[in-house]
Amino acid sequence: TITFGEAKAIVDMVYSSKFFKEYTKKKFKERMQENFREDESKKLDKVLFTHLTGNENDESFYNAFEQISNAIFEKRTVSFNYSKPLPSGKYKNNLYSDIWPIDTYSWNNTLYLYCWIPQISDVRTFRIDFIKDLYIGSNFILTENIKEKARDLILDSTNGYGPERYAEEITIIFNNNFYPNIIDKFGKNTIKTKYIDDNHSSITINSCPISPQFYAWIIGFSGELKIIGNEEEVFMFNDFLKNNFK
């Protein structure tokens, strides 16, 4: 039997996630409320609802997620079309065939699948909401060495922390391939993209939270994301680089 504290924690985690649509969040809460008397269940209602429209894909959660979970348990290969959204409204598609699903993982509001790619003998991470046309294949044998590599990949993931200040306005130019990362960070319904060229777009964010972790997020894209405005924010970012990466 689930306790009230456990139910409250699950509801709060689901509501804090950008992965789920508004409707799904409500259904999760109602499912939890069914476990308690009416006077208790009301305590699970949310007072503040800060839903941001992002890379939401309920279909992938209810369909692909369950199929992937079964494939992991049965140690069967998966093939799929990995479809990433672009600012133009189109999608960038890559096909993956007969790769080994190892485990699912939730990090930074997103559900991921860790796979061993036998063709290149390496572990790769896939966002479950970008997986389309999933096909379950034949059995494979998972070794301890492969599991260890996947574990290290998860532990190497970094977490974000609260801001030290808020930039009144900051403009970022980015490679269109990283548009999904922009959505994850700021929410689709809070930003407007501006066309730069066929490969690049920009966004301007008001009251942007700034911290060393935010700068590390920018740096992590190896120049594919750049702060280009305003002049004060460009100076402060360059000053951060100068003082921390001498």
Side-chain angles (χ1 to χ4, degrees):
T1 303
I2 190 169
T3 68
F4 178 82
E6 291 167 340
K8 176 63 174 170
I10 292 171
V11 169
D12 285 352
M13 285 189 286
V14 168
Y15 267 75
S16 69
S17 174
K18 297 176 185 175
F19 181 86
F20 299 108
K21 291 181 180 178
E22 182 177 351
Y23 171 80
T24 303
K25 292 179 179 181
K26 182 181 177 183
K27 295 300 290 185
F28 262 104
K29 183 195 70 174
E30 292 175 349
R31 283 286 187 89
M32 290 295 103
Q33 288 178 319
E34 291 173 358
N35 293 282
F36 304 96
R37 302 188 313 269
E38 184 178 357
D39 59 329
E40 282 262 282
S41 66
K42 290 180 179 178
K43 298 176 185 177
L44 293 175
D45 286 332
K46 300 300 293 179
V47 177
L48 295 176
F49 187 44
T50 56
H51 182 81
L52 283 176
T53 303
N55 289 299
E56 304 159 333
N57 190 336
D58 287 348
E59 181 181 353
S60 72
F61 178 71
Y62 289 109
N63 297 322
F65 187 76
E66 184 172 351
Q67 293 181 62
I68 288 168
S69 299
N70 289 333
I72 291 169
F73 176 76
E74 296 172 0
K75 295 183 175 61
R76 296 178 62 184
T77 63
V78 294
S79 302
F80 52 81
N81 174 25
Y82 197 56
S83 183
K84 296 174 64 174
L86 298 174
S88 63
K90 296 181 180 180
Y91 290 83
K92 181 179 181 181
N93 297 298
N94 289 291
L95 296 176
Y96 291 87
S97 299
D98 298 320
I99 60 179
W100 302 4
I102 300 174
D103 207 353
T104 54
Y105 194 77
S106 177
W107 180 75
N108 194 27
N109 297 305
T110 303
L111 291 168
Y112 292 93
L113 171 65
Y114 292 90
C115 287
W116 176 257
I117 315 295
Q119 296 88 341
I120 59 173
S121 299
D122 198 9
V123 175
R124 290 289 168 85
T125 307
F126 300 95
R127 289 174 56 131
I128 290 177
D129 51 339
F130 293 164
I131 292 176
K132 313 289 184 185
D133 307 320
L134 180 67
Y135 173 78
I136 309 299
S138 58
N139 290 102
F140 62 86
I141 299 175
L142 181 62
T143 66
E144 289 299 320
N145 180 55
I146 294 172
K147 288 195 288 186
E148 185 73 11
K149 283 191 175 184
R151 183 190 69 87
D152 291 343
L153 179 64
I154 294 172
L155 293 179
D156 283 343
S157 299
T158 57
N159 297 294
Y161 299 89
E164 294 183 350
R165 64 180 182 87
Y166 288 84
E168 183 175 346
E169 182 179 280
I170 190 168
T171 299
I172 298 172
I173 187 172
F174 60 93
N175 184 301
N176 288 339
N177 287 331
F178 298 103
Y179 179 60
N181 304 86
I182 294 291
I183 295 175
D184 281 339
K185 195 71 172 177
F186 302 106
K188 187 184 294 183
N189 60 339
T190 62
I191 59 173
K192 291 184 178 180
T193 59
K194 180 180 178 182
Y195 174 86
I196 302 297
D197 57 42
D198 289 345
N199 296 314
H200 298 87
S201 301
S202 72
I203 57 167
T204 298
I205 309 106
N206 297 316
S207 299
C208 181
I210 303 295
S211 66
Q213 289 72 32
F214 174 77
Y215 285 156
W217 179 75
I218 296 286
I219 295 167
F221 290 95
S222 303
E224 299 290 355
L225 270 71
K226 296 178 182 179
I227 299 174
I228 59 172
N230 55 41
E231 289 185 8
E232 181 180 359
E233 293 303 330
V234 173
F235 172 82
M236 295 186 73
F237 177 64
N238 288 334
D239 189 58
F240 173 84
L241 293 177
K242 182 176 66 176
N243 291 326
N244 291 277
F245 298 93
K246 297 179 180 179

